[in-house]
Amino acid sequence: MIARSQKHWTADVAELLRVGPGFRLAEVDPRATPGYDKDKVQAAEDLAAGAVQLDEYQERLFARSRVESTDASVLLVLQAMDSAGKGGIIRHVVGSVDPQGIALTAFKKPTPEELGHDFLWRVERRLPAPGYIGVFDRSHYEDVLIGRVRQLAPADEIERRYGAINDFEKRVADAGTRIVKVMLHISPQEQKERLLERLERPDKHWKYNPGDVDERQRWPQYMAAYQTVFERTSTDHAPWFVVPADRKWYARLAVQHLLLEALEDIDPQWPAATFDVEAEKKRLAAS
Amino acid sequence: MIARSQKHWTADVAELLRVGPGFRLAEVDPRATPGYDKDKVQAAEDLAAGAVQLDEYQERLFARSRVESTDASVLLVLQAMDSAGKGGIIRHVVGSVDPQGIALTAFKKPTPEELGHDFLWRVERRLPAPGYIGVFDRSHYEDVLIGRVRQLAPADEIERRYGAINDFEKRVADAGTRIVKVMLHISPQEQKERLLERLERPDKHWKYNPGDVDERQRWPQYMAAYQTVFERTSTDHAPWFVVPADRKWYARLAVQHLLLEALEDIDPQWPAATFDVEAEKKRLAAS
């Protein structure tokens, strides 16, 4: 009960952020900090404390998978508009645990080979093995987000995909993977500031893409596509969480907590020795 | 010139650790700290300072590969006897940089599919792409270490492999990869203590394998196999470094430095903008 014992939340943050019936993205304030009433400085301390918890959970999950037959893994799916902070989550939340237990995939524009297969083909290949925390930086949801906004596929194909995603994620969840789907929600004003910073700093130019402004001009269409995604694919076995992300420190703390809860749900224990400990001590002493 | 400006070394540590002509593994003291005359507490501070440098280098390397055509990457090969600290290097040195720029592979006992191919087949598939720091936790060297000690292949096949490795690594280096090969060198006494600790702590049992004691009993054969590896495969394009590892803090600091030197040799610069910065500022402002 580590995550639920985190004292810094004023409410059940997972419950506050989970997309349930009647959810309206338009009603979420990207600057809000649901369940947290402290400031950025305190948040950094709380994040560091959470990192220690996450680290132990991750090691237990990994350890068990090395010794026992287990199917448990975690999959964090990150979706967002440009500059919303996916990279910061990976660096500051995921990056706080042992890289040996992380399976990270950044999905790019599909290759010709990938386009020759169903849209879930490349995703299936990157699912985390038991014992791992998988992280998707973008995902199959691009195929119903930019895919929808940019009409990269026929309307009936886009329509088919929502059900295909639900069936796919059900199978993955049934196979032992805790799926945590996160949309980092920033405001268009905040995005403008962040993109401007990328333009003003030579060491940030590489993160800027003129295409970002093109996508930005379709903001309402993207928000509508996200709303549809939430209505169609936030399920009990793979819920969506919309995390206000104008304040990076809040988003990191919240996503860390969602990971902690997923691991707490698995509750991995240190595996028992598969050998006679006392006999091994004697063998070792004699060696 | 970041790495070479590191003030805490008393000598050129890479030079001290590099395997050159006449190298004798038997003459290396695993408790020594070549080029470093401070203690564990100071080493932790120096490691943290080096992590900041490594972080910036890694980001520059990655950034450039996103924007420009470049072939530069780094490959860290880690070999060692059990419990020598490979995992700690990955966690505390590699783990200090952004996981998005790391490509980590832990090579296990070959699968039947892998055994159906030449021993370098599975290695080739895991080489880092441009912009990445690849890390091999064990490697193709297992095929001339345990492969030799346990006679897993005929003697003439083992013999063939040294040349094949040199040709392979030459091709990889010519393609732009800085190869840094590290053997973490512990003493049998230190290994005994570390294995005993794994037996005494239930949260460490999963790291213990009774087979470790079997391998331990072949220590002299392994050291002879390493000696042959060093003589046959420490080349200008892919040198070996033998890092004394009885003191974990020294090994981490030394490996971090070797990575820093490899990156300094590449000397990646922030890529120039591929767009008109002022024009983009106007487009953004109008959006």
PDB file of all heavy atoms in Angstrom, chain B residues 164-191:
ATOM      1  N   ALA B 164      37.243 -12.667 -36.458  1.00  0.00           N
ATOM      2  CA  ALA B 164      35.909 -12.229 -36.914  1.00  0.00           C
ATOM      3  C   ALA B 164      35.449 -11.019 -36.100  1.00  0.00           C
ATOM      4  O   ALA B 164      34.842 -10.081 -36.633  1.00  0.00           O
ATOM      5  CB  ALA B 164      34.914 -13.378 -36.785  1.00  0.00           C
ATOM      6  N   ILE B 165      35.737 -11.041 -34.806  1.00  0.00           N
ATOM      7  CA  ILE B 165      35.371  -9.908 -33.937  1.00  0.00           C
ATOM      8  C   ILE B 165      36.118  -8.649 -34.369  1.00  0.00           C
ATOM      9  O   ILE B 165      35.537  -7.573 -34.485  1.00  0.00           O
ATOM     10  CB  ILE B 165      35.679 -10.241 -32.454  1.00  0.00           C
ATOM     11  CG1 ILE B 165      34.654 -11.242 -31.904  1.00  0.00           C
ATOM     12  CG2 ILE B 165      35.696  -8.965 -31.614  1.00  0.00           C
ATOM     13  CD1 ILE B 165      34.981 -11.765 -30.500  1.00  0.00           C
ATOM     14  N   ASN B 166      37.402  -8.789 -34.625  1.00  0.00           N
ATOM     15  CA  ASN B 166      38.174  -7.605 -35.027  1.00  0.00           C
ATOM     16  C   ASN B 166      37.653  -7.016 -36.343  1.00  0.00           C
ATOM     17  O   ASN B 166      37.522  -5.793 -36.470  1.00  0.00           O
ATOM     18  CB  ASN B 166      39.659  -7.946 -35.144  1.00  0.00           C
ATOM     19  CG  ASN B 166      40.304  -8.142 -33.775  1.00  0.00           C
ATOM     20  OD1 ASN B 166      39.792  -7.656 -32.760  1.00  0.00           O
ATOM     21  ND2 ASN B 166      41.405  -8.866 -33.744  1.00  0.00           N
ATOM     22  N   ASP B 167      37.348  -7.887 -37.289  1.00  0.00           N
ATOM     23  CA  ASP B 167      36.825  -7.396 -38.573  1.00  0.00           C
ATOM     24  C   ASP B 167      35.473  -6.711 -38.362  1.00  0.00           C
ATOM     25  O   ASP B 167      35.200  -5.652 -38.919  1.00  0.00           O
ATOM     26  CB  ASP B 167      36.652  -8.556 -39.556  1.00  0.00           C
ATOM     27  CG  ASP B 167      37.982  -9.134 -40.005  1.00  0.00           C
ATOM     28  OD1 ASP B 167      39.026  -8.478 -39.761  1.00  0.00           O
ATOM     29  OD2 ASP B 167      37.983 -10.230 -40.585  1.00  0.00           O
ATOM     30  N   PHE B 168      34.649  -7.336 -37.563  1.00  0.00           N
ATOM     31  CA  PHE B 168      33.313  -6.797 -37.275  1.00  0.00           C
ATOM     32  C   PHE B 168      33.425  -5.431 -36.594  1.00  0.00           C
ATOM     33  O   PHE B 168      32.788  -4.455 -37.011  1.00  0.00           O
ATOM     34  CB  PHE B 168      32.571  -7.796 -36.377  1.00  0.00           C
ATOM     35  CG  PHE B 168      31.308  -7.284 -35.755  1.00  0.00           C
ATOM     36  CD1 PHE B 168      30.154  -7.114 -36.509  1.00  0.00           C
ATOM     37  CD2 PHE B 168      31.253  -6.997 -34.388  1.00  0.00           C
ATOM     38  CE1 PHE B 168      28.974  -6.654 -35.922  1.00  0.00           C
ATOM     39  CE2 PHE B 168      30.083  -6.542 -33.792  1.00  0.00           C
ATOM     40  CZ  PHE B 168      28.941  -6.372 -34.571  1.00  0.00           C
ATOM     41  N   GLU B 169      34.238  -5.355 -35.580  1.00  0.00           N
ATOM     42  CA  GLU B 169      34.357  -4.091 -34.838  1.00  0.00           C
ATOM     43  C   GLU B 169      35.000  -3.002 -35.698  1.00  0.00           C
ATOM     44  O   GLU B 169      34.664  -1.821 -35.562  1.00  0.00           O
ATOM     45  CB  GLU B 169      35.147  -4.308 -33.541  1.00  0.00           C
ATOM     46  CG  GLU B 169      34.365  -5.145 -32.533  1.00  0.00           C
ATOM     47  CD  GLU B 169      35.124  -5.411 -31.233  1.00  0.00           C
ATOM     48  OE1 GLU B 169      36.332  -5.086 -31.170  1.00  0.00           O
ATOM     49  OE2 GLU B 169      34.511  -5.951 -30.292  1.00  0.00           O
ATOM     50  N   LYS B 170      35.877  -3.393 -36.591  1.00  0.00           N
ATOM     51  CA  LYS B 170      36.487  -2.408 -37.499  1.00  0.00           C
ATOM     52  C   LYS B 170      35.401  -1.806 -38.391  1.00  0.00           C
ATOM     53  O   LYS B 170      35.327  -0.585 -38.590  1.00  0.00           O
ATOM     54  CB  LYS B 170      37.565  -3.097 -38.348  1.00  0.00           C
ATOM     55  CG  LYS B 170      38.283  -2.169 -39.335  1.00  0.00           C
ATOM     56  CD  LYS B 170      39.229  -1.230 -38.612  1.00  0.00           C
ATOM     57  CE  LYS B 170      40.217  -0.535 -39.555  1.00  0.00           C
ATOM     58  NZ  LYS B 170      39.572   0.351 -40.517  1.00  0.00           N
ATOM     59  N   ARG B 171      34.554  -2.648 -38.898  1.00  0.00           N
ATOM     60  CA  ARG B 171      33.470  -2.171 -39.763  1.00  0.00           C
ATOM     61  C   ARG B 171      32.537  -1.250 -38.979  1.00  0.00           C
ATOM     62  O   ARG B 171      32.125  -0.198 -39.471  1.00  0.00           O
ATOM     63  CB  ARG B 171      32.703  -3.375 -40.323  1.00  0.00           C
ATOM     64  CG  ARG B 171      31.452  -3.002 -41.079  1.00  0.00           C
ATOM     65  CD  ARG B 171      30.921  -4.155 -41.937  1.00  0.00           C
ATOM     66  NE  ARG B 171      30.593  -5.366 -41.190  1.00  0.00           N
ATOM     67  CZ  ARG B 171      29.450  -5.561 -40.532  1.00  0.00           C
ATOM     68  NH1 ARG B 171      28.538  -4.613 -40.483  1.00  0.00           N
ATOM     69  NH2 ARG B 171      29.217  -6.698 -39.900  1.00  0.00           N
ATOM     70  N   VAL B 172      32.216  -1.643 -37.745  1.00  0.00           N
ATOM     71  CA  VAL B 172      31.312  -0.832 -36.908  1.00  0.00           C
ATOM     72  C   VAL B 172      31.953   0.517 -36.592  1.00  0.00           C
ATOM     73  O   VAL B 172      31.309   1.566 -36.673  1.00  0.00           O
ATOM     74  CB  VAL B 172      30.950  -1.594 -35.618  1.00  0.00           C
ATOM     75  CG1 VAL B 172      30.194  -0.705 -34.640  1.00  0.00           C
ATOM     76  CG2 VAL B 172      30.135  -2.848 -35.958  1.00  0.00           C
ATOM     77  N   ALA B 173      33.238   0.496 -36.267  1.00  0.00           N
ATOM     78  CA  ALA B 173      33.940   1.749 -35.956  1.00  0.00           C
ATOM     79  C   ALA B 173      34.022   2.637 -37.196  1.00  0.00           C
ATOM     80  O   ALA B 173      33.795   3.849 -37.125  1.00  0.00           O
ATOM     81  CB  ALA B 173      35.346   1.444 -35.414  1.00  0.00           C
ATOM     82  N   ASP B 174      34.311   2.027 -38.341  1.00  0.00           N
ATOM     83  CA  ASP B 174      34.396   2.805 -39.588  1.00  0.00           C
ATOM     84  C   ASP B 174      33.047   3.431 -39.937  1.00  0.00           C
ATOM     85  O   ASP B 174      32.981   4.468 -40.590  1.00  0.00           O
ATOM     86  CB  ASP B 174      34.860   1.911 -40.746  1.00  0.00           C
ATOM     87  CG  ASP B 174      36.342   1.596 -40.661  1.00  0.00           C
ATOM     88  OD1 ASP B 174      37.051   2.266 -39.877  1.00  0.00           O
ATOM     89  OD2 ASP B 174      36.801   0.687 -41.376  1.00  0.00           O
ATOM     90  N   ALA B 175      31.982   2.811 -39.465  1.00  0.00           N
ATOM     91  CA  ALA B 175      30.641   3.325 -39.744  1.00  0.00           C
ATOM     92  C   ALA B 175      30.252   4.437 -38.773  1.00  0.00           C
ATOM     93  O   ALA B 175      29.145   4.977 -38.867  1.00  0.00           O
ATOM     94  CB  ALA B 175      29.618   2.192 -39.688  1.00  0.00           C
ATOM     95  N   GLY B 176      31.156   4.796 -37.851  1.00  0.00           N
ATOM     96  CA  GLY B 176      30.888   5.969 -37.021  1.00  0.00           C
ATOM     97  C   GLY B 176      30.655   5.709 -35.548  1.00  0.00           C
ATOM     98  O   GLY B 176      30.360   6.625 -34.794  1.00  0.00           O
ATOM     99  N   THR B 177      30.782   4.456 -35.115  1.00  0.00           N
ATOM    100  CA  THR B 177      30.515   4.127 -33.715  1.00  0.00           C
ATOM    101  C   THR B 177      31.817   4.105 -32.909  1.00  0.00           C
ATOM    102  O   THR B 177      32.765   3.406 -33.275  1.00  0.00           O
ATOM    103  CB  THR B 177      29.830   2.746 -33.612  1.00  0.00           C
ATOM    104  OG1 THR B 177      28.615   2.792 -34.361  1.00  0.00           O
ATOM    105  CG2 THR B 177      29.524   2.391 -32.163  1.00  0.00           C
ATOM    106  N   ARG B 178      31.838   4.891 -31.830  1.00  0.00           N
ATOM    107  CA  ARG B 178      32.965   4.817 -30.904  1.00  0.00           C
ATOM    108  C   ARG B 178      32.729   3.625 -30.004  1.00  0.00           C
ATOM    109  O   ARG B 178      31.742   3.600 -29.245  1.00  0.00           O
ATOM    110  CB  ARG B 178      33.054   6.074 -30.049  1.00  0.00           C
ATOM    111  CG  ARG B 178      34.029   7.095 -30.536  1.00  0.00           C
ATOM    112  CD  ARG B 178      33.684   7.529 -31.921  1.00  0.00           C
ATOM    113  NE  ARG B 178      34.390   8.736 -32.357  1.00  0.00           N
ATOM    114  CZ  ARG B 178      34.073   9.384 -33.464  1.00  0.00           C
ATOM    115  NH1 ARG B 178      33.098   8.940 -34.247  1.00  0.00           N
ATOM    116  NH2 ARG B 178      34.740  10.469 -33.807  1.00  0.00           N
ATOM    117  N   ILE B 179      33.613   2.666 -30.043  1.00  0.00           N
ATOM    118  CA  ILE B 179      33.450   1.446 -29.260  1.00  0.00           C
ATOM    119  C   ILE B 179      34.332   1.525 -28.017  1.00  0.00           C
ATOM    120  O   ILE B 179      35.544   1.739 -28.124  1.00  0.00           O
ATOM    121  CB  ILE B 179      33.829   0.193 -30.082  1.00  0.00           C
ATOM    122  CG1 ILE B 179      33.004   0.150 -31.384  1.00  0.00           C
ATOM    123  CG2 ILE B 179      33.620  -1.075 -29.260  1.00  0.00           C
ATOM    124  CD1 ILE B 179      33.432  -0.972 -32.333  1.00  0.00           C
ATOM    125  N   VAL B 180      33.714   1.359 -26.861  1.00  0.00           N
ATOM    126  CA  VAL B 180      34.429   1.394 -25.585  1.00  0.00           C
ATOM    127  C   VAL B 180      34.178   0.050 -24.902  1.00  0.00           C
ATOM    128  O   VAL B 180      33.067  -0.247 -24.482  1.00  0.00           O
ATOM    129  CB  VAL B 180      33.900   2.535 -24.686  1.00  0.00           C
ATOM    130  CG1 VAL B 180      34.632   2.541 -23.349  1.00  0.00           C
ATOM    131  CG2 VAL B 180      34.025   3.889 -25.380  1.00  0.00           C
ATOM    132  N   LYS B 181      35.213  -0.758 -24.810  1.00  0.00           N
ATOM    133  CA  LYS B 181      35.061  -2.094 -24.234  1.00  0.00           C
ATOM    134  C   LYS B 181      35.650  -2.109 -22.823  1.00  0.00           C
ATOM    135  O   LYS B 181      36.824  -1.780 -22.649  1.00  0.00           O
ATOM    136  CB  LYS B 181      35.757  -3.127 -25.117  1.00  0.00           C
ATOM    137  CG  LYS B 181      35.192  -3.141 -26.536  1.00  0.00           C
ATOM    138  CD  LYS B 181      35.734  -4.259 -27.400  1.00  0.00           C
ATOM    139  CE  LYS B 181      37.206  -4.152 -27.670  1.00  0.00           C
ATOM    140  NZ  LYS B 181      37.638  -5.003 -28.822  1.00  0.00           N
ATOM    141  N   VAL B 182      34.815  -2.474 -21.876  1.00  0.00           N
ATOM    142  CA  VAL B 182      35.223  -2.416 -20.474  1.00  0.00           C
ATOM    143  C   VAL B 182      35.100  -3.788 -19.821  1.00  0.00           C
ATOM    144  O   VAL B 182      34.063  -4.436 -19.902  1.00  0.00           O
ATOM    145  CB  VAL B 182      34.338  -1.412 -19.694  1.00  0.00           C
ATOM    146  CG1 VAL B 182      34.546  -1.555 -18.189  1.00  0.00           C
ATOM    147  CG2 VAL B 182      34.633   0.018 -20.134  1.00  0.00           C
ATOM    148  N   MET B 183      36.183  -4.223 -19.184  1.00  0.00           N
ATOM    149  CA  MET B 183      36.107  -5.373 -18.302  1.00  0.00           C
ATOM    150  C   MET B 183      36.191  -4.844 -16.870  1.00  0.00           C
ATOM    151  O   MET B 183      37.148  -4.146 -16.516  1.00  0.00           O
ATOM    152  CB  MET B 183      37.257  -6.344 -18.540  1.00  0.00           C
ATOM    153  CG  MET B 183      37.112  -7.619 -17.704  1.00  0.00           C
ATOM    154  SD  MET B 183      38.402  -7.803 -16.454  1.00  0.00           S
ATOM    155  CE  MET B 183      38.208  -9.524 -15.977  1.00  0.00           C
ATOM    156  N   LEU B 184      35.158  -5.139 -16.087  1.00  0.00           N
ATOM    157  CA  LEU B 184      35.184  -4.775 -14.670  1.00  0.00           C
ATOM    158  C   LEU B 184      35.902  -5.902 -13.948  1.00  0.00           C
ATOM    159  O   LEU B 184      35.465  -7.057 -13.988  1.00  0.00           O
ATOM    160  CB  LEU B 184      33.748  -4.628 -14.139  1.00  0.00           C
ATOM    161  CG  LEU B 184      32.901  -3.550 -14.808  1.00  0.00           C
ATOM    162  CD1 LEU B 184      31.466  -3.609 -14.270  1.00  0.00           C
ATOM    163  CD2 LEU B 184      33.496  -2.161 -14.580  1.00  0.00           C
ATOM    164  N   HIS B 185      36.989  -5.534 -13.304  1.00  0.00           N
ATOM    165  CA  HIS B 185      37.880  -6.563 -12.753  1.00  0.00           C
ATOM    166  C   HIS B 185      37.751  -6.629 -11.234  1.00  0.00           C
ATOM    167  O   HIS B 185      38.196  -5.721 -10.534  1.00  0.00           O
ATOM    168  CB  HIS B 185      39.315  -6.229 -13.162  1.00  0.00           C
ATOM    169  CG  HIS B 185      40.317  -7.280 -12.789  1.00  0.00           C
ATOM    170  ND1 HIS B 185      40.065  -8.635 -12.884  1.00  0.00           N
ATOM    171  CD2 HIS B 185      41.600  -7.174 -12.340  1.00  0.00           C
ATOM    172  CE1 HIS B 185      41.134  -9.317 -12.504  1.00  0.00           C
ATOM    173  NE2 HIS B 185      42.077  -8.459 -12.161  1.00  0.00           N
ATOM    174  N   ILE B 186      37.124  -7.691 -10.719  1.00  0.00           N
ATOM    175  CA  ILE B 186      37.075  -7.869  -9.268  1.00  0.00           C
ATOM    176  C   ILE B 186      37.947  -9.042  -8.862  1.00  0.00           C
ATOM    177  O   ILE B 186      38.317  -9.885  -9.678  1.00  0.00           O
ATOM    178  CB  ILE B 186      35.649  -8.111  -8.714  1.00  0.00           C
ATOM    179  CG1 ILE B 186      34.984  -9.309  -9.400  1.00  0.00           C
ATOM    180  CG2 ILE B 186      34.803  -6.864  -8.806  1.00  0.00           C
ATOM    181  CD1 ILE B 186      33.727  -9.761  -8.668  1.00  0.00           C
ATOM    182  N   SER B 187      38.235  -9.075  -7.578  1.00  0.00           N
ATOM    183  CA  SER B 187      39.022 -10.185  -7.034  1.00  0.00           C
ATOM    184  C   SER B 187      38.068 -11.301  -6.608  1.00  0.00           C
ATOM    185  O   SER B 187      36.906 -11.051  -6.313  1.00  0.00           O
ATOM    186  CB  SER B 187      39.813  -9.706  -5.809  1.00  0.00           C
ATOM    187  OG  SER B 187      38.908  -9.284  -4.795  1.00  0.00           O
ATOM    188  N   PRO B 188      38.564 -12.532  -6.555  1.00  0.00           N
ATOM    189  CA  PRO B 188      37.695 -13.631  -6.091  1.00  0.00           C
ATOM    190  C   PRO B 188      37.223 -13.420  -4.648  1.00  0.00           C
ATOM    191  O   PRO B 188      36.107 -13.825  -4.299  1.00  0.00           O
ATOM    192  CB  PRO B 188      38.580 -14.879  -6.214  1.00  0.00           C
ATOM    193  CG  PRO B 188      39.899 -14.446  -6.710  1.00  0.00           C
ATOM    194  CD  PRO B 188      39.872 -12.991  -7.016  1.00  0.00           C
ATOM    195  N   GLN B 189      38.036 -12.766  -3.833  1.00  0.00           N
ATOM    196  CA  GLN B 189      37.630 -12.515  -2.440  1.00  0.00           C
ATOM    197  C   GLN B 189      36.437 -11.556  -2.405  1.00  0.00           C
ATOM    198  O   GLN B 189      35.483 -11.763  -1.665  1.00  0.00           O
ATOM    199  CB  GLN B 189      38.794 -11.899  -1.638  1.00  0.00           C
ATOM    200  CG  GLN B 189      40.005 -12.802  -1.469  1.00  0.00           C
ATOM    201  CD  GLN B 189      40.820 -12.956  -2.767  1.00  0.00           C
ATOM    202  OE1 GLN B 189      40.761 -12.108  -3.648  1.00  0.00           O
ATOM    203  NE2 GLN B 189      41.536 -14.066  -2.877  1.00  0.00           N
ATOM    204  N   GLU B 190      36.527 -10.507  -3.222  1.00  0.00           N
ATOM    205  CA  GLU B 190      35.431  -9.544  -3.263  1.00  0.00           C
ATOM    206  C   GLU B 190      34.165 -10.219  -3.801  1.00  0.00           C
ATOM    207  O   GLU B 190      33.064  -9.982  -3.310  1.00  0.00           O
ATOM    208  CB  GLU B 190      35.811  -8.353  -4.152  1.00  0.00           C
ATOM    209  CG  GLU B 190      34.734  -7.307  -4.322  1.00  0.00           C
ATOM    210  CD  GLU B 190      34.465  -6.479  -3.075  1.00  0.00           C
ATOM    211  OE1 GLU B 190      35.328  -6.450  -2.163  1.00  0.00           O
ATOM    212  OE2 GLU B 190      33.376  -5.869  -3.012  1.00  0.00           O
ATOM    213  N   GLN B 191      34.312 -11.065  -4.793  1.00  0.00           N
ATOM    214  CA  GLN B 191      33.136 -11.750  -5.321  1.00  0.00           C
ATOM    215  C   GLN B 191      32.481 -12.604  -4.248  1.00  0.00           C
ATOM    216  O   GLN B 191      31.265 -12.639  -4.121  1.00  0.00           O
ATOM    217  CB  GLN B 191      33.493 -12.626  -6.530  1.00  0.00           C
ATOM    218  CG  GLN B 191      32.225 -13.158  -7.203  1.00  0.00           C
ATOM    219  CD  GLN B 191      32.473 -14.315  -8.145  1.00  0.00           C
ATOM    220  OE1 GLN B 191      33.131 -15.303  -7.793  1.00  0.00           O
ATOM    221  NE2 GLN B 191      31.929 -14.204  -9.354  1.00  0.00           N
TER     222      GLN B 191
END
